[in-house]
Amino acid sequence: MASHSRRRSTLVIQRGASRNEGKREQRTEARVRKRRRLATSPAEADYFDGLPDDLLVSVLSKLSSSAQRPSDLISALLTSKRFHALGHHPLVLSMAGSSCLSVRAKAWRDSAHRFLKRCVDCGNLEASYILGMIRFYALENRGSGASLMAKAAVGSHAAALYSLAIVQFNGSGGSKAHKDLRAGVSLCARAAFLGHVDALRELGHCLQDGYGIRRNTAAGRRLLVQANARELAAAVSSSWPEWLEKRRLADPGGYSLLSDYGCSLPAPEPHPANRFLVEWFGSRGAPASEELRLCSHRGCGRRETRRHEFRRCSVCSLANYCSRACQALDWKLSHKAECAPTVPWAAASL
């Protein structure tokens, strides 16, 4: 009786195995017939269906990392339902670059917020920095914004390290007692090591002035020259023909950003996070509290989180700067021609 049961079980297993094998053969034959149909009738072929998902995800990841604007990726996702589904793959979202994540303030919606948050959840450091800046300064959610910037900084994101250094220098989001100059110098040094130009310039001024670190004028000067050299290399490599033409014609529209070398270059392109802040506060006119001022460097966009947080120009007392790097850039861009002593100082000098 037991042997009969074993034979019956073995027979059932064999029949099940044969059925599964038959189904696999049917699926294989169906794929072969589909490939033959695609090869024999190219006019009706849908070649995307024949591509593996891994290949399409790799292509979309390359597109998201090299896209010059968000519409480049969005246009690809609207091509087909398959592209739309694969475009939200974690690998694609984690590889999205700053240009692809560039959100304009006038187009800020909950959907844009959710998209950036989804990219953050996929491990995108650039999205962590951009959303952190937006939350910290524009949405005034200081804790969440700082934690997002810190998440990007842990991943060695240079711009996030520099922004956190500015927060430490100014005690942003807290009182004046929350300033931590040593922490700001440390963060700035890490960003400068990664090649961040503004961090190099900031650290150079800190060394020259002895701000948060022992004064070393020679070392500070070397860092400032290095920042100028990096700025020159970036500008020339991106627009060599235009730069040569401006130099030849001595275009007055150029700005003497590299005074150490006597070069005249246009203003550097701001980061998408800074451009968002500039548009955000510019579209809203005067701030809710008129005593809170914006950084006078037009490419920065940061706003004070408390009264008298930013340092002012020592000559005119009209310009406000979140950092020494912004002050140095704005001086070369425009403030050098606009700065004038206040009336009492002018009268005293006479």
Side-chain angles (χ1 to χ4, degrees):
M1 189 71 179
S3 61
H4 178 70
S5 298
R6 285 195 297 272
R7 286 197 300 271
R8 186 174 182 180
S9 300
T10 304
L11 183 60
V12 171
I13 293 173
Q14 290 176 350
R15 288 177 180 176
S18 62
R19 283 197 298 268
N20 291 334
E21 184 177 358
K23 291 180 180 180
R24 285 197 295 269
E25 291 178 354
Q26 291 176 1
R27 288 196 295 267
T28 302
E29 292 176 359
R31 286 197 294 268
V32 171
R33 288 196 298 269
K34 183 176 182 179
R35 291 173 182 171
R36 290 176 179 174
R37 185 174 67 254
L38 293 176
T40 55
S41 57
E44 300 177 358
D46 188 356
Y47 294 102
F48 289 119
D49 290 340
L51 295 175
D53 289 349
D54 293 344
L55 178 60
L56 293 181
V57 168
S58 178
V59 172
L60 291 174
S61 299
K62 183 66 175 178
L63 175 62
S64 65
S65 63
S66 60
Q68 298 298 317
R69 56 189 65 86
S71 59
D72 294 343
L73 180 61
I74 295 174
S75 299
L77 299 185
L78 295 177
T79 303
S80 64
K81 291 183 178 179
R82 190 181 182 196
F83 266 31
H84 185 271
L86 295 177
H88 291 85
H89 191 277
L91 181 61
V92 177
L93 298 180
S94 66
M95 295 290 290
S98 59
S99 299
C100 185
L101 298 171
S102 178
V103 182
R104 308 309 293 261
K106 62 181 179 181
W108 181 251
R109 302 289 188 277
D110 289 340
S111 57
H113 198 162
R114 288 194 301 269
F115 175 73
L116 287 176
K117 184 61 172 63
R118 189 169 183 179
C119 292
V120 170
D121 295 337
C122 293
N124 192 309
L125 299 181
E126 194 68 37
S128 296
Y129 171 62
I130 293 176
L131 186 57
M133 288 283 284
I134 292 174
R135 286 185 177 179
F136 190 88
Y137 289 103
L139 304 182
E140 299 185 6
N141 190 342
R142 315 294 185 194
S144 176
S147 64
L148 285 173
M149 286 190 284
K151 181 179 180 180
V154 170
S156 297
H157 190 281
L161 287 165
Y162 175 65
S163 292
L164 288 177
I166 294 178
V167 171
Q168 294 295 332
F169 281 137
N170 297 322
S172 300
S175 64
K176 189 176 181 179
H178 287 86
K179 288 184 178 183
D180 192 339
L181 303 186
R182 289 194 174 186
V185 169
S186 178
L187 290 167
C188 208
R190 289 181 58 190
F193 177 77
L194 295 172
H196 196 274
V197 176
D198 288 339
L200 279 169
R201 186 176 286 112
E202 183 77 16
L203 189 59
H205 285 290
C206 288
L207 283 168
Q208 280 191 329
D209 302 337
Y211 189 75
I213 193 173
R214 181 178 295 179
R215 186 173 184 178
N216 190 333
T217 305
R221 178 61 181 170
R222 284 196 298 269
L223 289 178
L224 292 177
V225 172
Q226 186 178 352
N228 287 336
R230 288 180 179 271
E231 190 179 40
L232 174 61
V236 171
S237 62
S238 62
S239 57
W240 174 252
E242 294 81 357
W243 183 76
L244 285 180
E245 185 66 16
K246 283 188 176 184
R247 292 292 295 158
R248 187 179 68 83
L249 300 176
D251 185 4
Y255 300 104
S256 182
L257 294 180
L258 304 169
S259 56
D260 296 308
Y261 302 101
C263 300
S264 180
L265 293 174
E269 185 69 20
H271 190 276
N274 297 98
R275 185 168 62 243
F276 179 93
L277 295 178
V278 171
E279 296 176 355
W280 178 272
F281 293 118
S283 63
R284 280 156 177 74
S289 174
E290 295 184 0
E291 297 175 343
L292 300 180
R293 300 173 181 267
L294 292 171
C295 179
S296 296
H297 175 37
R298 59 190 179 189
C300 177
R302 293 180 177 87
R303 197 184 77 174
E304 292 180 326
T305 60
R306 67 175 187 279
R307 292 183 57 192
H308 308 307
E309 176 183 338
F310 294 165
R311 53 183 63 88
R312 297 188 179 186
C313 176
S314 60
V315 178
C316 65
S317 299
L318 297 177
N320 304 271
Y321 300 104
C322 67
S323 62
R324 284 169 169 76
C326 281
Q327 184 175 8
L329 277 176
D330 190 59
W331 175 260
K332 297 177 183 179
L333 284 171
S334 59
H335 194 58
K336 183 178 181 179
E338 301 169 354
C339 185
T342 55
V343 175
W345 292 359
S349 63
L350 295 177

